[in-house]
Amino acid sequence: MKVASSDATEMEAVIGNSKSKLAEQIAALPLRRDAKGRLSVLMVTSRETGRWVMPKGWEMDGKKPWAAAEIEALEEAGAVGHISTTEIGTYRYVKKLDNGKGVPCRVTVYPMVVDRLKTNWKERHQRKRKWFSPPSAAKRVHEPELRDLLLTLDTKNPVKSLPKEIRKKMKNTQFDE
């Protein structure tokens, strides 16, 4: 199910009362390697609860899913870089609406190699951002499937589990804040 806007009323109208359908969202998983070659993931806080999440949002009309995820990374985290056209997984969660109702969502995750972080970005006054090791990020998220996805990056060679285009970018990119 595709939702063109983040407006909760519009989303509710699109989804209706169906409990069997999942709303579709997209997410960027911003990544970097530090000077020692360690992999980190960039997490942001949600606006409503302040819990740690990945930059994510609704699919956008006229945009490929990975392009929409790249926009979310820029707006929510100020992250600029190269996003993969290949997803690395999905996870499910329940999106809480302004009216208190919950909507089941499935989030498709696209890895992104971060080249730089902007100091001024759209949601800088609404969110915090922070780099974490994959296991540390996994401890902070509430969704079990997202936790599992993050833990797949906690191997001796975590980059090997990423799409080829991202592996190439990771070899050539080192990002230190």
Side-chain angles (χ1 to χ4, degrees):
M1 171 161 303
K2 187 174 181 181
V3 178
S5 168
S6 62
D7 179 43
T9 341
E10 183 178 337
M11 179 179 60
E12 196 167 40
V14 171
I15 296 172
N17 295 326
S18 171
K19 293 185 193 267
S20 62
K21 294 184 180 178
L22 292 174
E24 296 290 334
Q25 289 192 307
I26 44 76
L29 177 57
L31 304 165
R32 73 168 183 189
R33 281 194 130 145
D34 64 18
K36 294 182 180 179
R38 294 175 299 211
L39 186 69
S40 298
V41 298
L42 183 67
M43 305 294 283
V44 296
T45 54
S46 70
R47 288 185 293 191
E48 298 82 22
T49 64
R51 62 190 175 84
W52 290 103
V53 298
M54 289 187 296
K56 70 178 177 306
W58 303 109
E59 293 183 356
M60 299 175 189
D61 287 336
K63 300 275 185 205
K64 298 287 187 188
W66 58 86
E70 185 175 32
I71 291 168
E72 294 297 340
L74 177 62
E75 290 179 353
E76 294 184 5
V80 178
H82 176 79
I83 194 145
S84 176
T85 59
T86 305
E87 67 182 70
I88 59 166
T90 62
Y91 70 94
R92 291 172 290 182
Y93 82 109
V94 177
K95 169 83 175 164
K96 298 292 182 201
L97 303 179
D98 294 338
N99 64 10
K101 292 184 182 179
V103 175
C105 296
R106 182 176 63 145
V107 182
T108 303
V109 179
Y110 296 90
M112 175 184 187
V113 177
V114 176
D115 294 327
R116 65 185 177 93
L117 292 178
K118 296 180 79 148
T119 53
N120 274 334
W121 74 96
K122 186 176 181 178
E123 297 183 13
R124 69 187 174 279
H125 298 298
Q126 301 165 359
R127 299 177 187 274
K128 295 177 187 173
R129 65 182 178 193
K130 186 174 180 182
W131 290 104
F132 294 100
S133 69
S136 185
K139 288 178 187 174
R140 288 170 169 78
V141 299
H142 294 224
E143 302 82 4
E145 293 172 354
L146 176 54
R147 185 176 304 123
D148 292 345
L149 180 76
L150 289 165
L151 288 174
T152 65
L153 299 173
D154 184 34
T155 63
K156 289 189 185 217
N157 190 359
V159 178
K160 198 171 192 178
S161 63
L162 297 171
K164 187 177 183 178
E165 63 185 301
I166 292 297
R167 289 195 313 261
K168 285 182 181 178
K169 278 287 190 192
M170 292 295 285
K171 280 183 182 178
N172 300 326
T173 302
Q174 179 185 317
F175 177 89
D176 285 313
E177 249 183 305

